[in-house]
Amino acid sequence: MSDLARFSINQMTVRQLPLPRLVEECVRLGVPGVGLWREPVAEYGLEATAQLVRDAGLAVTTLCRGGFFTTATDLDDNRAAVDEAATLGTDTLVLVSGGLPPGVKDLAAARSRIAGALAELVPYAAGRGVRLAIEPLHPMYAADRCAVSTLDQALALARPFAPSEVGVVVDTYHVWWDDHAPAAVARAGAEGRVHAFQVADWTTPLPAGVLTGRGPLGDGVIDLRAWRERVDASGYTGPIEVELFNDTLWSRDGVDVLEETARRYVEHVL
Amino acid sequence: MSDLARFSINQMTVRQLPLPRLVEECVRLGVPGVGLWREPVAEYGLEATAQLVRDAGLAVTTLCRGGFFTTATDLDDNRAAVDEAATLGTDTLVLVSGGLPPGVKDLAAARSRIAGALAELVPYAAGRGVRLAIEPLHPMYAADRCAVSTLDQALALARPFAPSEVGVVVDTYHVWWDDHAPAAVARAGAEGRVHAFQVADWTTPLPAGVLTGRGPLGDGVIDLRAWRERVDASGYTGPIEVELFNDTLWSRDGVDVLEETARRYVEHVL
């Protein structure tokens, strides 16, 4: 089995690469999967993207993202995201659930609102063969992006639904600090709810806004191999997606970054 | 009872004020307590500071800080911090425990090292009448400042010792996002381990380095009054210290900031 058999490159890691170039380079390097984002997919065209990846034999490991339930007035945009996932041939829509609505200081209420939105969205997604994957985000995003800060919270939100309908994303960047996360990973795996596994490293100092400082694999403090082994031990056998938002990487040649990321994946994650 | 009866201003909030000016303004405004930091105290002189606050009738609610156990080679500096606390007349030394040592990726091992250092430091501190108050820091500081990210972890570290020896700091900025924190506050209070209560608000976007963006009371998303009520309900009746690291506040007139902070405390915390 190739070292890259489970490797998937999230499009945002090399967002400087236009879709056709990304697909071409993935094929050349033997990268079997890509995680896509709605905005660049829409820019290139949904159907055109679906055909591009299908013709290249690439798996779409995830589509990012639905969610932002706490500030949305309806679920139209989330239903559209489900449809796009189905068209792209991925079974996994990543959900970033949303933070506190303006003027609201009640995180528990925000989480309840997320639970309510899920209940409404699940039948629609299930009908289209798309699993909703709740991604806990690091607590530093709790206010403005995601009131779901831990795997325990994500699993609690998933529990009312079948594992084939709702699961979680394990992303090392968001959960590495949490001493409850290893047990949560084991439980998620046992329940069949690990719907995606993403890796990024933690480097300091964090940049202003804390969005674009995800560390290249091996540059930070996360024991990435230990996390991969932990997720594997939970029974997960799916893709391992590298998702880095990083200003320095974005300023470099995209193909270089892709090649380097694949090498670092083999060195630090496998 | 004055609205400011429990109010304490942490020196870092108005670090632009020289110590004598800070003390003078506290007396003028009826602020009964100050939280001090070792560096500015050393600059003014330890004995001189002790006499200054004693003569003014101010309580020193905490001394910041000891800790950084994970990278220290010995505890000499921590013993010095204990001595300084005793000289200043405060019974509470705040501990920021330290992050990961260079090249180390094992948070659990870092926490074990903290536990070992505590065991060594406690008898010394207890002999001088100084309580060690473990402050969990927000998980965004786990790598480089504090491997203790939650009140649950801080309480677990405190448990081997008497409540009169080791307790915790509850700081809204660090724990507001944590759904386990309310129960931990109740437990800490029941055990007599709430040794300090600090308040700051959470505002976004975070600044680069994420150290100097603590929100002025009322500017952010934390329900400060709910947290104060929660800490009170745990049985805590001590000072409420306002500790803001904020570039904008530091660029302003210090007396204005002190007056505004006292007003905001009454408005948003009481």
Side-chain angles (χ1 to χ4, degrees), chain B residues 183-204:
Chain B
V185 166
R187 206 164 66 252
E191 295 177 10
R193 293 196 196 267
V194 179
H195 288 186
F197 178 35
Q198 297 181 326
V199 289
D201 216 333
W202 182 274
T203 52
T204 55

Side-chain angles (χ1 to χ4, degrees), chain A residues 17 79 103 167 211 233 239 259 264:
Chain A
L17 290 181
R79 282 185 282 265
L211 277 176
E259 290 176 345
R264 284 171 175 250

Side-chain angles (χ1 to χ4, degrees), chain B residues 76-105:
Chain B
D76 288 353
D77 191 56
N78 274 287
R79 281 186 281 265
V82 166
D83 291 341
E84 290 158 33
T87 301
L88 291 168
T90 179
D91 62 357
T92 304
L93 177 65
V94 173
L95 300 181
V96 172
S97 298
L100 292 167
V104 172
K105 301 192 175 196

Side-chain angles (χ1 to χ4, degrees), chain B residues 122-145:
Chain B
V122 164
Y124 186 86
R128 277 144 194 84
V130 174
R131 311 182 299 182
L132 302 176
I134 304 168
E135 180 163 18
L137 257 55
H138 191 283
M140 69 187 175
Y141 302 115
D144 51 357
R145 305 189 76 76

